[in-house]
């Protein structure tokens, strides 16, 4: 007669408990590796370092004709002297206006209406030509024409240095742009003339300027209406001139037209001029480099850096000439000064190209670091206009990419705000594309450099934290969406994500961006045969679904998600088969030592994703009943051995283990259970302990079926399980004990525990692992409970020695707490201690009661060593 407590245990628990959908504590998540459903780990795809520094590597999808060059010649002539002038001499495009004859002879003569008259004397022609040459020479140098060379009416125009731009709220006076509010005060004390190149209009001081009427409207209505109408046919109107002025004046010119800074003559003559004379001598490189360093310090001390002081042109002309010396060290010092003088347009491009050319040689990294060129380059990205200088940004970014691949620069780049600057740069391009509907010129090329740099920076823990805190990942997702057709950009971003999702916090941030799953699926469908991109996207999905049940659900809900994975699986399975057929016959090299092929590597990552998403209680059963999923997994086990590709076989077996957990109707795993069991035998007889462990785990699920139990006994698999109890490996002992537990449910098979010393080995496992592993201890007690169901005498059932050992072990366990070492945090300790009390102790107490009730104590029991 069984006691009431014994009856409670008559209903045996299955080896694996059904998965309960509930919120897990952190301790339960940590202990998930011991559960039936397990995630799968794999290595991040390897990215080889490029042999040469180029804008685009050998794997780039861009053809040489469709990408900017990495090699080019650069000389002093590459720089424009016009950019060295502090005052811009912007030329407006000629006006296509045909002069018309005046309406009457009495009409007021106007310079705009006079017809050109050819000179009659060849001497006059030469005189006029010489004067015109001097005129253009002076104008191109920013000089004003002398009064005597102008007619009376034009003289008034030349004397006028104040201009008001119509149709806008900004007024420019003496080269200074003023807002409407501060212009009023300026005009009160300065009578002025308005001039539009050829058209002259005098405006006297009026009371209207002192009032509250807005300045542009009063200026627009000033002047004689009749005179304006007379000149309308040949002189441009205010709207035309405003349009031309807006078109001609770029942002760079606006900066150059700011107020010039007067140079301290004494400082210039005593500190700057001697250094310039020294540079012009060009004696030797060391002397010139030292002079450049002193020049930079002197300019900084005299507040002469930037583009607003008068003698800037002299400096730049001298520096440009020295570019032809051809010294990398000197060129870097020149470039640093030129950038500090805020050059623009073509000269900014040329100096960025100069630094880029030098940075292509890895040996120059120390020169770049010593001269602090990085800070100058970052300042270009921070302060210059992207739309105006897109090509300069490209070569500037290319240099930063090169040096970011050198670990010595990482900390410096991060401390100088490289992550923030590049994130803002990416954001600018995203916003421009969203606003205009088109990409900026060179934006794709520039993004290749920027994302490659971010890929290098993300190796630093500090950079990773910045990525997550300033919103870099969502910006990169937007780039993926807008540049889906640019494989180079997509591959670089995939490399960033594959690195950052290798960490839990990175996974959490990206998983919370719901659009990422659809983006990844679109990429997989678009680039199905591009292994380098596919493998990284699949690796990212494996990271996201490893520990996040919400990520598993989000991914599976995307339309065509499972079918996309299966399509990829089939594609790369076929590629792998083809490569096996193409292998030379009689190749005797040890294949177990070779790394996985490209096709195998993709299959490894794909099986990992399938194993991870199968943990979800809704997705797992659906996959278990999917013939295509199970068929591909079984086919992989059939054609691939552990020696050929260990990781692929183990991942495939782990995926089958997760699917075999679900005892659902129409399960393909259940339909093919005997075929699967036959395939698992290959793993059990291998020398690979990881393969053996995965096979035992699958048998633990399958052995709940009576047919599989018969298969195990018929093929002597149970002897193998008993032998594994000696492995002294907790996970292997745990899994093997689970199979034996399921076998002892059948009364006819309980006797197998006595074969090969099964009882003694179970007791040894309880002694060795019980004090620290309540789960294994619980399994051993349940197995012994099943075995002793029809017990009449404890000694005849277990043997005298094992009976005595069990009595003492169980008694001591019931009086003790679970012993845990310092590797467990407090949360995990509380979790295990709770289950030691609620799960293990009741089972141990019942087994102890049964043994004590069927055992006669004849002599004191020895105390076994624990």
């Amino acid at each position: 007669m069984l006691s009431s407590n014994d009856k409670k245990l008559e209903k045996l628990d299955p080896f694996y408990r059904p998965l309960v959908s509930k919120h897990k504590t952190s301790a339960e998540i940590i202990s998930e590796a011991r559960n039936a459903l397990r995630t799968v780990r794999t290595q991040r795809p390897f990215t080889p370092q490029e042999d040469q520094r180029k804008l685009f590597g050998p794997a780039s999808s861009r053809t040489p004709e469709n990408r900017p060059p990495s090699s080019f010649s650069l000389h002093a002539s590459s720089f424009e002297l016009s950019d060295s002038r502090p005052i811009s001499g912007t030329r407006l495009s000629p006006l296509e206006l045909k002069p018309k004859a005046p309406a009457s002879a009495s009409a007021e003569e106007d310079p705009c209406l006079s017809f050109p008259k050819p000179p009659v004397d060849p001497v006059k022609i030469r005189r006029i030509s010489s004067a015109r040459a001097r005129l253009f020479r002076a104008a191109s140098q920013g000089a004003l024409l002398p009064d005597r060379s102008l007619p009376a009416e034009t003289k008034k125009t030349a004397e006028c240095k104040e201009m008001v731009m119509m149709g806008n709220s900004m007024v420019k006076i003496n080269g200074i742009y003023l807002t409407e509010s501060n212009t009023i005060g300026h005009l009160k004390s300065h009578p002025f003339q308005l001039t539009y190149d050829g058209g002259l209009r005098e405006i006297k001081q009026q009371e209207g300027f002192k009032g509250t009427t807005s300045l542009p409207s009063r200026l627009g209505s000033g002047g004689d209406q009749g005179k304006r109408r007379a000149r309308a046919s040949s002189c441009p109107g205010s709207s035309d001139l405003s349009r031309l002025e807006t078109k001609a004046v770029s942002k760079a010119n606006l900066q150059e037209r700011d107020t010039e800074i007067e140079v301290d003559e004494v400082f210039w003559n005593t500190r700057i001029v001697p250094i310039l004379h020294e540079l012009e001598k060009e004696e030797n490189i060391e002397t010139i480099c030292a002079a450049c360093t002193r020049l930079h310090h002197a300019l900084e001390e005299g507040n002469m850096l930037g583009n607003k002081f008068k003698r800037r042109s002299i400096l730049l002309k001298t520096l440009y000439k020295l570019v032809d010396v051809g010294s990398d060290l000197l060129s870097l010092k020149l470039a640093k000064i030129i950038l500090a003088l805020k050059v623009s347009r073509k000269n900014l491009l040329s100096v960025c190209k100069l630094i880029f050319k030098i940075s292509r040689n890895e040996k120059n990294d120390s020169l770049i670091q010593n001269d602090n060129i990085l800070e100058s380059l970052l300042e270009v990205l921070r302060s210059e206009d992207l739309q105006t200088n897109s090509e300069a940004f490209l070569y500037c970014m290319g240099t930063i990419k090169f040096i970011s691949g050198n670990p010595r620069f990482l900390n410096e780049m991060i401390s100088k705000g490289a992550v923030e600057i590049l994130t803002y740069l990416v954001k600018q391009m995203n916003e421009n594309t969203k606003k205009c509907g088109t990409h900026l010129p060179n934006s794709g090329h520039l993004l290749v450099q920027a994302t490659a740099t971010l890929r290098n920076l993300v190796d630093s823990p500090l950079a990773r934290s910045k990525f997550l805190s300033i919103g870099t990942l969502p910006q990169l997702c937007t780039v993926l969406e807008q540049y889906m057709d640019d494989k180079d950009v997509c591959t670089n971003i995939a490399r960033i994500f594959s690195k950052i999702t290798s960490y839990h916090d990175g996974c959490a941030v990206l998983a919370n961006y719901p659009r990422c799953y659809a983006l990844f699926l679109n990429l997989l469908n678009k680039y199905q045969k591009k292994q380098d991109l596919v493998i990284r996207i699949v690796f990212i999905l494996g990271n996201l679904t490893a520990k996040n049940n919400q990520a598993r659900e989000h991914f599976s809900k995307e339309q065509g998600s499972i079918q996309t994975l299966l399509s990829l699986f089939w594609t790369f399975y076929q590629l792998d088969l083809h490569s096996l057929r193409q292998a030379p016959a009689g190749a005797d090299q040890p294949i177990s030592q070779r790394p996985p092929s490209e096709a195998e590597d993709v299959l490894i990552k794909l099986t990992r994703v399938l194993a991870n998403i199968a943990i979800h209680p809704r997705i797992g059963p659906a996959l278990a009943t999917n013939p295509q999923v199970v068929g591909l997994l079984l086919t992989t086990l059939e054609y691939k051995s552990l020696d050929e590709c260990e990781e692929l076989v183990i991942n495939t077996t782990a995926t089958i283990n997760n699917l075999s957990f679900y005892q659902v109707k129409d399960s393909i795993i259940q339909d093919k259970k005997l075929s699967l069991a036959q395939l698992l035998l290959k793993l059990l007889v291998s020398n690979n302990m990881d393969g053996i462990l995965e096979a035992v785990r699958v048998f633990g699920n399958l052995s709940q079926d009576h047919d599989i139990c018969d298969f195990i006994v018929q093929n002597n698999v149970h002897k193998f399980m008993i032998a594994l109890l000696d492995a002294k490996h907790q996970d292997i002992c745990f899994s093997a004990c689970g199979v034996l537990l399921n076998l002892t449910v059948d009364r006819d098979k309980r006797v197998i525990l006595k074969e090969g010393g099964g009882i003694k080995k179970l007791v040894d496992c309880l002694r060795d692992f019980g004090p620290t592993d309540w789960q294994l201890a619980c399994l051993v007690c349940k197995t012994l409970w099943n075995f002793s169901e029809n017990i009449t005498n404890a000694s005849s059932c277990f043997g005298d020695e094992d009976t005595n050992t069990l009595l003492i072990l169980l008694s001591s366990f019931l009086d003790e707490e679970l012993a845990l070492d310092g590797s467990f945090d407090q949360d995990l300790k509380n979790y295990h201690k709770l289950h030691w009390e609620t799960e293990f102790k009741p089972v141990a107490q019942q087994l102890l009661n049964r043994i004590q009730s069927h055992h006669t104590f004849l002599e004191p029991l020895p105390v076994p060593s624990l």
Side-chain angles (χ1 to χ4, degrees), residues 145-160:
L145 299 177
D147 292 349
R148 55 186 171 79
S149 65
L150 297 174
E153 186 71 13
T154 312
K155 180 178 178 181
K156 295 180 181 179
T157 305
E159 290 173 349
C160 175

Side-chain angles (χ1 to χ4, degrees), residues 247-501:
K247 182 178 179 181
V249 181
S250 64
K251 185 175 182 178
N253 290 336
L254 291 177
Q255 292 175 349
E256 290 181 347
R257 290 183 179 187
D258 288 343
T259 305
E260 295 175 19
I261 298 175
E262 292 292 337
V263 178
D264 185 337
E265 293 296 332
V266 175
F267 186 88
W268 173 264
N269 292 326
T270 58
R271 296 291 303 278
I272 305 299
V273 172
I275 300 177
L276 294 182
H277 288 162
E278 190 175 343
L279 291 176
E280 290 175 351
K281 293 179 182 178
E282 299 185 10
E283 294 179 352
N284 58 70
I285 299 299
E286 291 76 11
T287 304
I288 300 175
C289 289
C292 286
T293 302
R294 287 187 282 111
L295 176 62
H296 190 276
H297 292 326
L299 291 172
E300 189 173 18
E301 182 183 345
N303 195 26
M304 296 178 182
L305 296 178
N307 61 351
K308 299 179 182 178
F309 76 100
K310 286 186 176 181
R311 305 287 174 85
R312 176 172 174 265
S313 59
I314 301 174
L315 281 173
L316 288 173
K317 289 176 183 178
T318 303
L319 298 175
Y320 293 159
K321 291 178 183 178
L322 293 173
V323 171
D324 284 338
V325 173
S327 164
D328 289 345
L329 176 60
L330 175 59
S331 294
L332 285 176
K333 292 186 178 295
L334 295 173
K336 185 174 182 181
I337 302 175
I338 293 171
L339 285 177
L341 292 172
K342 297 296 182 182
V343 295
S344 59
R345 300 187 299 279
K346 183 178 179 181
N347 288 344
L348 179 60
L349 171 60
S350 295
V351 72
C352 287
K353 279 187 170 183
L354 178 63
I355 301 174
F356 173 86
K357 188 176 181 180
I358 297 169
S359 68
R360 290 195 61 195
N361 187 344
E362 194 172 345
K363 295 178 180 179
N364 289 330
D365 284 359
S366 58
L367 302 180
I368 293 174
Q369 190 170 34
N370 293 339
D371 276 324
N372 200 17
I373 298 298
L374 174 62
E375 187 168 358
S376 301
L377 295 174
L378 291 175
E379 180 61 26
V380 171
L381 300 181
R382 184 190 295 113
S383 61
E384 298 295 337
D385 180 63
L386 169 62
Q387 193 164 0
T388 307
N389 303 292
S390 61
E391 192 176 0
F393 271 47
L394 173 65
Y395 287 99
C396 175
M397 196 67 251
T399 302
I400 296 174
K401 178 189 73 172
F402 292 156
I403 62 178
S404 70
N406 188 332
R408 290 184 300 163
F409 283 89
L410 279 183
N411 290 335
E412 181 185 357
M413 293 184 71
I414 295 167
S415 65
K416 293 183 184 301
V419 176
E420 293 86 347
I421 292 171
L422 295 186
T423 299
Y424 181 71
L425 181 65
V426 171
K427 183 180 179 181
Q428 274 186 291
M429 287 186 276
N430 286 338
E431 290 176 348
N432 181 82
T433 302
K434 184 177 180 181
K435 181 179 179 180
C436 304
T438 57
H439 302 322
L440 286 172
N442 291 315
S443 61
H445 302 323
L446 180 57
L447 278 170
V448 172
Q449 313 309 312
T451 52
T453 307
L454 290 171
R455 178 196 68 204
N456 293 335
L457 292 176
V458 78
D459 288 328
S460 164
L462 180 58
R464 283 196 300 272
S465 66
K466 288 179 178 290
F467 271 68
L468 304 181
S469 62
I470 65 176
T472 305
L473 299 192
Q475 290 297 333
L476 293 176
C477 285
T478 304
V479 173
L480 278 182
E481 200 165 1
Q482 295 178 349
Y483 291 81
M484 185 75 67
D485 293 331
D486 194 326
K487 179 181 173 293
D488 293 345
V489 173
C490 295
T491 301
N492 280 345
I493 295 177
R495 286 171 175 166
I496 296 171
F497 287 167
S498 66
K499 287 184 177 183
I500 207 163
T501 56

Side-chain angles (χ1 to χ4, degrees), residues 142-186:
L144 294 174
L145 299 177
D147 292 349
R148 55 186 171 79
S149 65
L150 297 174
E153 186 71 13
T154 312
K155 180 178 178 181
K156 295 180 181 179
T157 305
E159 290 173 349
C160 175
K161 298 181 181 178
E162 301 172 338
M163 177 178 288
V164 176
M165 295 195 53
M166 308 301 295
N168 200 324
S169 61
M170 185 163 292
V171 179
K172 189 178 78 171
I173 299 176
N174 283 336
I176 305 174
Y177 283 80
L178 302 174
T179 59
E180 178 178 332
S181 58
N182 58 21
T183 304
I184 301 295
H186 188 89

